[in-house]
Amino acid sequence: MCDINTPLNHQGVSCLFAGFIRSVRELYFSMSRLVVSGKRKAFAFAFAFSLIFSISAVGQLKEIDSLRTLLSQTPKGEKHVDLQVEIAFHYTKISSEKSASLATTALDEATLIGYQKGIGDCYNVLGVANSIRGAFKVGLDYFLKALKAREEAGNFTGAAKVLNNIAGVFSAQREYKEALVYSERSLMMLKEKTTDKKAVATALLSRGQIYQSMGDTAQALGQYRQALADFSTIGEHKRQGETLLSISSILQSMEKNQLALDYAFNAMSLIDVRTDNLVATHLYLTIGQLYADEHKDQTTLHYFYLALAAAKKCKAISEQIAASQQLSSFFESKKMYDSALFYQKEYAQLSNETYSSELAGQLAFLEKEYETQNKDRQLAQHQQEIISQRWIIASIAFVLLFTVVVAGLTYRNYVLKKKANEQLHQLNKQVSEQNEEISLINENLEKEAQRRTEKIRLQNEKLIEYAFFNAHRVRGPLARVLGLTMLIEKDLPANEIKDLSKKVQASAQELDEVVREISRKLDEE
């Protein structure tokens, strides 16, 4: 169920919630049979519960040093965030507090650059770190944030693994119905939206562990066998071994010890017990418990001693406690009280150290959480003050801007109005001048009209006088000339014609004088 979304193949090395929970459950079943006291049974379950999140520290410091060197050479950015997440994940196997601190730093950087994948990975590591130290509610909150971030980034494989992690958290708290719901969601997402067969098989393995915790061995075996087939198909030998070990624990609970031993030894053939001491510890404990049920004392002791040695080799305190408890119980059942007391003291000492360490870690975590929340509150208050100040500044700026705009518009209107008034005054002046000019023109026109009227009147009078001359003074001589001319045309004697000619001449002269007189009168105008 553990999600290790980093370049290294951590899924095959250790799985936070699913990889070893099966050995924890087998340990619980065997301890429940071996320990008679109710008080010890309760402790056995509490101890087995604490093993759910136990992690090996083998080789982690060396790997972390290598990653830190690479980190120092990497500029800020997505790769830098990925390296920080990988280091934080490695620290979950050494110090969950350090892991959470590093993941928080990486989260800040990923958020700053908007790296959605990195944000989801950081939340997932924070969920793992908090779940390891028993802060399940905090861990669950981080897993839900990781789920949302990975779904938004389209990382459905990663999202399915987070769902599996959430299922593990609920399973660890015995909320099996919720665990199955999230486990089913994980499987559906992996089958519908990915082609990651290993992730599907791991989800099946985790689902089998949930059913085993519920006591539904039939369902658990079905899930384990399907997971085993998938791991075999893709050649995941180590995970095959872990699955076989889970099946062995179920067979042991069903008191099919020989078959359980066969599965355990098959698991041993697939697991490298020389390098993976943590898995070897669980394997040896399982085999030792099976031989204890068969009352094969020497073989039982041999495997319990191997388990204790492997646990000490990898410095896995929880596994040392388990091995010491098994040895103490074994020697007590054989009434070898000195040996039983020796391992009981070792068990008690390790338990006290673990409890003190966990308590110190919890207190440090709570103190850090308090400081973080206090800083968050102060930061939120400061941000609220900044927002309030920004609103005040914005309001003042708006008022000033509004005032400037109104003043500008007012001044502009004043300037435009003044200019308009000046133009209007100028136009009025022009209109007045034009009116005066028009008045003068009208006056001149009236005078000109009077002058012309008078002229026309005089001309009319002269025309009347001319008409009179024409009718009376001109007509008379002209009529005589015409009459005399008609007489001359007749056949008259020469002396009469001569006399008539003189008369014509006289009449013509008279007409000429009249014409001259008319011309003279006309010229007088």
Side-chain angles (χ1 to χ4, degrees):
M1 128 182 163
C2 179
D3 172 18
I4 307 166
N5 192 15
T6 60
L8 297 180
N9 185 15
H10 296 126
Q11 288 177 329
V13 178
S14 63
C15 187
L16 292 175
F17 305 118
F20 305 120
I21 192 172
R22 55 192 176 280
S23 54
V24 172
R25 297 306 177 193
E26 71 184 42
L27 175 61
Y28 166 67
F29 286 125
S30 61
M31 289 179 72
S32 297
R33 291 195 303 274
L34 290 173
V35 183
V36 177
S37 166
K39 181 178 178 181
R40 287 190 177 180
K41 282 185 178 181
F43 177 80
F45 178 80
F47 172 66
F49 174 75
S50 70
L51 282 178
I52 292 175
F53 300 103
S54 64
I55 303 175
S56 173
V58 177
Q60 296 306 312
L61 290 174
K62 183 177 180 181
E63 183 70 22
I64 288 171
D65 289 340
S66 175
L67 289 170
R68 283 191 177 279
T69 301
L70 183 59
L71 181 67
S72 65
Q73 300 170 356
T74 305
K76 295 283 186 179
E78 294 183 358
K79 180 62 177 176
H80 194 267
V81 172
D82 290 338
L83 286 171
Q84 288 186 88
V85 171
E86 190 172 353
I87 293 171
F89 178 79
H90 280 290
Y91 264 108
T92 59
K93 306 173 185 181
I94 301 172
S95 169
S96 59
E97 184 178 353
K98 181 68 173 177
S99 173
S101 176
L102 291 170
T104 301
T105 302
L107 177 61
D108 292 339
E109 185 176 337
T111 303
L112 185 64
I113 63 175
Y115 181 30
Q116 196 69 15
K117 177 183 177 296
I119 292 172
D121 293 346
C122 291
Y123 279 137
N124 186 66
V125 173
L126 285 167
V128 171
N130 282 280
S131 298
I132 287 172
R133 55 192 175 199
F136 295 118
K137 185 178 184 303
V138 179
L140 183 60
D141 289 340
Y142 280 124
F143 282 140
L144 291 173
K145 290 178 180 179
L147 177 63
K148 181 180 179 182
R150 286 182 170 179
E151 284 181 335
E152 289 178 352
N155 181 9
F156 296 111
T157 300
K161 292 174 182 178
V162 174
L163 287 169
N164 218 18
N165 288 348
I166 295 172
V169 171
F170 281 116
S171 179
Q173 298 176 91
R174 296 194 194 179
E175 297 180 26
Y176 299 121
K177 289 184 178 179
E178 288 292 330
L180 286 174
V181 168
Y182 280 96
S183 178
E184 181 64 24
R185 284 182 60 187
S186 175
L187 272 173
M188 292 296 292
M189 184 176 290
L190 286 169
K191 289 178 179 179
E192 292 176 0
K193 297 185 178 182
T194 73
T195 56
D196 192 337
K197 293 182 179 179
K198 183 179 178 180
V200 172
T202 302
L204 289 168
L205 179 59
S206 298
R207 191 168 177 80
Q209 292 155 6
I210 296 171
Y211 279 119
Q212 185 176 350
S213 300
M214 295 170 64
D216 190 343
T217 56
Q219 284 284 0
L221 279 173
Q223 300 294 317
Y224 287 151
R225 284 168 178 159
Q226 190 174 347
L228 182 62
D230 290 346
F231 284 134
S232 300
T233 301
I234 60 178
E236 279 288 332
H237 300 301
K238 184 177 184 301
R239 301 312 296 273
Q240 284 180 254
E242 294 171 357
T243 308
L244 288 169
L245 197 55
S246 294
I247 295 173
S248 175
S249 68
I250 290 183
L251 294 172
Q252 182 185 7
S253 68
M254 298 168 66
E255 298 184 357
K256 296 181 179 181
N257 290 349
Q258 187 56 52
L259 188 57
L261 275 171
D262 291 341
Y263 273 92
F265 281 112
N266 283 335
M268 184 184 291
S269 68
L270 294 169
I271 297 171
D272 188 354
V273 295
R274 294 172 300 176
T275 58
D276 198 338
N277 291 292
L278 184 63
V279 178
T281 301
H282 293 295
L283 179 63
Y284 292 145
L285 282 172
T286 300
I287 296 174
Q289 292 157 16
L290 288 167
Y291 278 122
D293 290 342
E294 297 294 320
H295 305 291
K296 295 182 179 180
D297 297 344
Q298 292 300 318
T299 309
T300 299
L301 274 177
H302 172 70
Y303 281 103
F304 282 164
Y305 282 139
L306 286 176
L308 183 59
K312 287 182 177 180
K313 189 174 180 180
C314 67
K315 298 179 181 180
I317 302 300
S318 297
E319 282 69 21
Q320 290 182 54
I321 292 173
S324 297
Q325 174 68 12
Q326 290 288 52
L327 283 166
S328 176
S329 299
F330 174 80
F331 284 121
E332 184 179 0
S333 68
K334 301 302 177 182
K335 297 183 180 181
M336 301 171 66
Y337 296 113
D338 289 342
S339 297
L341 181 60
F342 173 80
Y343 285 108
Q344 182 64 26
K345 287 181 178 179
E346 185 173 312
Y347 155 76
Q349 182 181 354
L350 289 169
S351 297
N352 289 334
E353 289 176 0
T354 302
Y355 176 76
S356 299
S357 176
E358 288 295 324
L359 181 59
Q362 289 287 349
L363 289 174
F365 171 71
L366 291 174
E367 183 179 353
K368 185 174 181 181
E369 283 293 305
Y370 172 77
E371 291 177 358
T372 302
Q373 291 178 5
N374 190 36
K375 288 180 181 179
D376 288 342
R377 283 195 298 269
Q378 291 177 355
L379 180 61
Q381 184 178 359
H382 182 62
Q383 288 177 340
Q384 188 61 39
E385 290 175 357
I386 292 174
I387 291 172
S388 300
Q389 290 175 359
R390 285 177 178 174
W391 273 108
I392 292 171
I393 293 171
S395 300
I396 294 172
F398 176 76
V399 171
L400 289 174
L401 179 62
F402 180 76
T403 303
V404 170
V405 171
V406 171
L409 291 174
T410 304
Y411 178 74
R412 181 173 176 273
N413 290 335
Y414 168 75
V415 171
L416 291 175
K417 186 175 180 181
K418 183 179 179 181
K419 186 176 179 180
N421 288 336
E422 289 177 354
Q423 291 177 347
L424 183 60
H425 178 71
Q426 187 68 24
L427 289 172
N428 287 336
K429 184 177 179 181
Q430 291 178 0
V431 170
S432 178
E433 290 176 353
Q434 289 175 356
N435 286 337
E436 290 179 359
E437 185 177 352
I438 290 171
S439 298
L440 183 60
I441 291 171
N442 288 336
E443 184 178 348
N444 291 333
L445 286 174
E446 288 179 359
K447 290 180 179 179
E448 181 67 20
Q450 290 176 358
R451 187 182 65 79
R452 291 186 177 183
T453 301
E454 182 63 23
K455 184 178 179 181
I456 291 170
R457 185 184 64 76
L458 293 173
Q459 287 177 347
N460 287 338
E461 289 180 353
K462 288 182 179 183
L463 286 173
I464 292 170
E465 186 178 0
Y466 173 76
F468 174 79
F469 271 97
N470 187 49
H472 295 87
R473 300 286 300 277
V474 174
R475 189 65 180 169
L478 180 59
R480 285 195 295 272
V481 169
L482 291 173
L484 292 171
T485 304
M486 291 177 63
L487 290 174
I488 291 173
E489 291 178 354
K490 293 181 178 181
D491 294 332
L492 294 176
N495 56 349
E496 287 182 7
I497 292 173
K498 186 176 180 180
D499 185 45
L500 288 172
S501 296
K502 288 180 179 180
K503 288 180 181 181
V504 169
Q505 185 176 4
S507 295
Q509 288 177 349
E510 183 181 357
L511 181 60
D512 180 60
E513 287 177 3
V514 172
V515 171
R516 287 178 184 274
E517 186 177 355
I518 291 171
S519 296
R520 197 167 46 251
K521 287 184 178 291
L522 291 174
D523 290 339
E524 289 177 0
E525 297 176 5

